């Protein structure tokens, strides 16, 4: 006999409710339902998974996703939004607009300032723009020892060890996916153009050998 929480076919009432929901009947229809799911996604979602959640054919979901992406960019006649719907190899996800990267960056860094010291923020910036980079090379750019702040950034999950320098054997550091998420970026290509103002790593190789 099925338990009180199961129907005769073995499904739960919650499962039945999910299956019976017609997303077209919800406020805003299927596009709004897709937005609701994407807003809570903490990683790119494949269209196939969205189609299952929506209980809709995959071609229809792909069409709706493309329309939403165009709508957010202002391509359909409305105003461009402060966010974008982008597709990458792993699926679809909502990101802050590339055009507003400077504003988002200031907000994120201001919000972190109470938790990260100025030294940590400066060290994070050097690693972000010069990665992969050794601890010694970061110290050379900043002119101070960065051992403590590097440990802090590692603990916060903003940077990670990503290999070893083939010449010196020193550990190489780079930023993480969490860093991109906090900055509202989908890739490092979206970093504002600050790198030309930092020293070339070639000029720091000898200093980095002491790492």
């Amino acid at each position: 006999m099925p338990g009180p929480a199961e129907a005769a076919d073995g499904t739960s009432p919650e499962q039945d409710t999910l299956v019976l929901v017609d997303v077209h009947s919800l406020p805003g229809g299927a596009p709004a339902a897709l937005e609701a799911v994407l807003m809570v996604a903490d990683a790119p979602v494949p269209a196939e998974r969205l189609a299952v959640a929506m209980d809709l054919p995959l071609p229809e979901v792909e069409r709706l996703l493309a329309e939403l992406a165009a709508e957010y960019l202002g391509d359909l006649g409305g105003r461009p939004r402060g966010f974008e719907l982008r597709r990458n190899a792993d699926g679809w996800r909502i990101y802050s607009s590339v055009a507003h990267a400077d504003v988002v960056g200031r907000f994120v860094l201001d919000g972190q300032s109470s938790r990260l010291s100025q030294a940590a923020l400066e060290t994070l910036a050097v690693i972000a723009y010069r990665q992969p980079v050794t601890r010694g090379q970061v110290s050379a750019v900043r002119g101070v020892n960065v051992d403590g702040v590097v440990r802090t950034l590692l603990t916060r999950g903003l940077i990670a060890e990503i290999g070893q320098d083939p010449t010196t054997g020193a550990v190489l550091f780079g930023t993480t996916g969490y860093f991109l998420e906090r900055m509202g970026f989908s890739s490092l290509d979206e970093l504002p153009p600050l790198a030309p103002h930092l020293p070339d790593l070639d000029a720091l190789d000898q200093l980095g050998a002491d790492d």
Side-chain angles (χ1 to χ4, degrees):
M1 294 291 292
E6 294 182 348
D9 61 358
T11 61
S12 67
E14 291 79 8
Q15 289 175 314
D16 286 341
T17 301
L18 289 173
V19 171
L20 293 175
V21 169
D22 179 5
V23 293
H24 293 295
S25 68
L26 297 174
L34 277 172
E35 290 174 326
V37 172
L38 290 166
M39 285 298 295
V40 300
D42 57 4
V45 185
E48 293 81 1
R49 184 180 175 192
L50 292 169
V52 172
M54 300 293 105
D55 195 23
L56 294 175
L58 178 59
E60 180 178 354
V61 170
E62 290 179 330
R63 175 181 60 80
L64 290 171
L65 289 167
E67 290 177 356
L68 286 173
E71 177 185 343
Y72 299 159
L73 291 173
D75 293 346
L76 301 184
R79 68 170 177 83
R81 309 296 178 84
F83 51 88
E84 300 173 358
L85 177 58
R86 305 180 206 158
R87 181 180 188 176
N88 60 32
D90 297 321
W92 294 81
R93 188 179 182 187
I94 291 176
Y95 298 89
S96 60
S97 169
V98 173
H100 301 92
D102 288 345
V103 177
V104 173
R106 284 198 301 271
F107 172 77
V108 172
L109 293 179
D110 286 345
Q112 290 287 330
S113 62
S114 61
R115 290 164 286 181
L116 288 177
S117 66
Q118 185 64 31
L121 291 174
E122 292 173 0
T123 300
L124 179 59
V126 173
I127 294 173
Y129 281 98
R130 285 306 190 203
Q131 59 187 304
V133 64
T134 68
R135 198 190 316 257
Q137 289 169 335
V138 177
S139 294
V141 173
R142 295 204 54 241
V144 295
N145 184 287
V146 297
D147 289 355
V149 289
V150 165
R151 284 194 296 270
T152 296
L153 295 174
L154 285 168
T155 301
R156 301 291 178 89
L158 294 168
I159 65 171
E161 297 180 2
I162 58 175
Q164 287 186 314
D165 185 284
T167 303
T168 67
V171 174
L172 292 170
F173 295 93
T175 54
T176 63
Y178 178 65
F179 167 80
L180 290 177
E181 179 181 338
R182 294 292 299 177
M183 293 297 294
F185 298 152
S186 59
S187 77
L188 292 171
D189 293 336
E190 297 172 20
L191 284 169
L194 176 64
H197 301 287
L198 295 175
D200 290 334
L201 288 185
D202 289 343
L204 302 174
D205 281 345
Q206 184 57 46
L207 290 170
D210 296 331
D211 198 313

